[in-house]
Amino acid sequence: MNFSGSEHFDCTQSDLWPRLTDMAFISRVIPDVDKVERLEPTSFTCKVRPRFSFLTGSLELSFTVIESEPEQRLVVRSRGKGIGAAIVVDIEILLATAANSTDLNWTGTIVSREGLLKPVNTSLIQGAAERVIHNLWQNFRTAFRPAN
């Protein structure tokens, strides 16, 4: 299952890149975060309480940068674990200059889902993922302040 989209930012790639790779910043814009448990330069782990009808309780999420081409391309692997459920998602972000701004194109691919998530209808997962992704970019835009 794949997800994709694009975002437009009125700033340069060099203004946007530091925020995309700042794990402390990213951990603050993830929706429904209860607590950040581990924070390193290229990864972090947090507990979230997602509001999904098909998954209750808390979920441990870890995010790790697995590829990086500064100011151009970023690949992040996200692993989620809950009681009886697990999911792995790879996210690729590509940046492109657009006049005095930046276009950010992203793709998310569910690499695996296990346990209680395996039988869940893909349209249910798609709807939940779209809501989380929308909230993530909304939180990112609210928190992001490009350099002047």
Side-chain angles (χ1 to χ4, degrees):
M1 180 181 321
N2 294 318
F3 308 92
S4 62
S6 61
E7 302 291 327
H8 182 82
F9 292 90
D10 291 325
C11 65
T12 65
Q13 288 170 238
S14 59
D15 286 334
L16 186 57
W17 185 259
R19 288 302 193 191
L20 291 171
T21 56
D22 179 348
M23 296 298 109
F25 178 82
I26 296 297
S27 71
R28 289 192 304 269
V29 301
I30 300 292
D32 303 321
V33 169
D34 266 351
K35 175 176 139 181
V36 175
E37 297 186 329
R38 183 182 56 81
L39 187 59
E40 296 180 12
T42 60
S43 66
F44 70 93
T45 301
C46 61
K47 289 271 190 198
V48 297
R49 288 202 173 271
R51 297 179 198 132
F52 303 146
S53 60
F54 55 87
L55 185 65
T56 59
S58 66
L59 190 63
E60 180 182 281
L61 291 179
S62 65
F63 294 83
T64 305
V65 174
I66 57 175
E67 291 180 41
S68 177
E69 296 172 34
E71 298 183 20
Q72 294 177 18
R73 181 174 178 264
L74 184 66
V75 180
V76 176
R77 175 157 292 154
S78 174
R79 296 178 186 272
K81 293 188 296 186
I83 295 174
I87 192 164
V88 176
V89 179
D90 284 351
I91 304 130
E92 180 179 39
I93 295 172
L94 300 170
L95 300 182
T97 300
N100 290 329
S101 58
T102 302
D103 286 332
L104 180 151
N105 296 297
W106 60 267
T107 304
T109 303
I110 295 180
V111 176
S112 69
R113 52 186 174 137
E114 300 170 10
L116 297 173
L117 288 177
K118 199 165 194 163
V120 175
N121 184 304
T122 55
S123 63
L124 197 57
I125 291 175
Q126 178 107 18
E130 287 173 0
R131 188 175 72 246
V132 169
I133 292 164
H134 171 79
N135 290 342
L136 177 130
W137 286 118
Q138 190 173 23
N139 293 350
F140 186 97
R141 285 183 183 287
T142 300
F144 177 67
R145 298 289 179 257
N148 290 326

